[in-house]
Structures are given as C-alpha cells and as structure tokens.
Amino acid sequence: MMSDERRQLISKRTRAAMATPEVRKKVSDRTKVGIAARKEWSCELAALRVVWRAACPEARRRFIDEIFEALCGDG
C-alpha cells in the first residue's frame, strides 16, 4: 500500500505538470479523440453485448479461446 507522503508527492507533481497550458491542451485533445472514438463504436459495442448475453456459456468460452489462440498462437 502506498504511504500518505508518497500519495501527496504524486498529487503535488501531477498538479504542477497539469498547470502548463500545453499539458492541459494535450489532455483535452486526447479526451476529445477518445470521446469521438467511443461514439463511433457505441452501436457496434451494444450489438456485441446483446449477442454475448444471448450466447450460451460454452459458446462464450469457445469465443474467448479463439481470441486468445489468435493473439497468443496455439502453443
């Protein structure tokens, strides 16, 4: 667990870094990009959630297995 002193130091450094206009603009710009991306994907994600909830546990398990096989390879 993090000490109170460490948390306060991190908080102080974060406030100092966020004080610059460049950092605030960068955070704001990236937030806007993230919000736009979420709007773009929201319908597709909603459709995936509906299908996921309708699928039986075995189909869900197999789907997850296939995703991990694609990411990690067979062995």
Side-chain angles (χ1 to χ4, degrees):
M1 196 163 163
M2 193 181 305
S3 71
D4 287 337
E5 294 83 19
R6 180 78 177 141
R7 263 193 291 271
Q8 289 172 359
L9 177 63
I10 291 169
S11 178
K12 182 180 177 181
R13 288 181 179 173
T14 301
R15 282 193 305 274
M18 292 298 293
T20 65
E22 297 83 16
V23 171
R24 286 196 309 274
K25 181 170 178 4
K26 189 175 184 180
V27 170
S28 176
D29 291 347
R30 289 189 180 178
T31 299
K32 289 173 186 169
V33 168
I35 290 170
R38 183 176 178 166
K39 285 180 183 177
E40 181 180 326
W41 305 329
S42 64
C43 291
E44 291 181 41
L45 288 174
L48 284 171
R49 286 185 191 103
V50 169
V51 173
W52 180 263
R53 289 181 188 123
C56 70
E58 180 59 26
R60 291 179 186 184
R61 186 199 60 77
R62 183 62 199 143
F63 180 74
I64 296 295
D65 288 347
E66 289 177 7
I67 289 173
F68 279 108
E69 286 172 8
L71 290 172
C72 304
D74 290 338

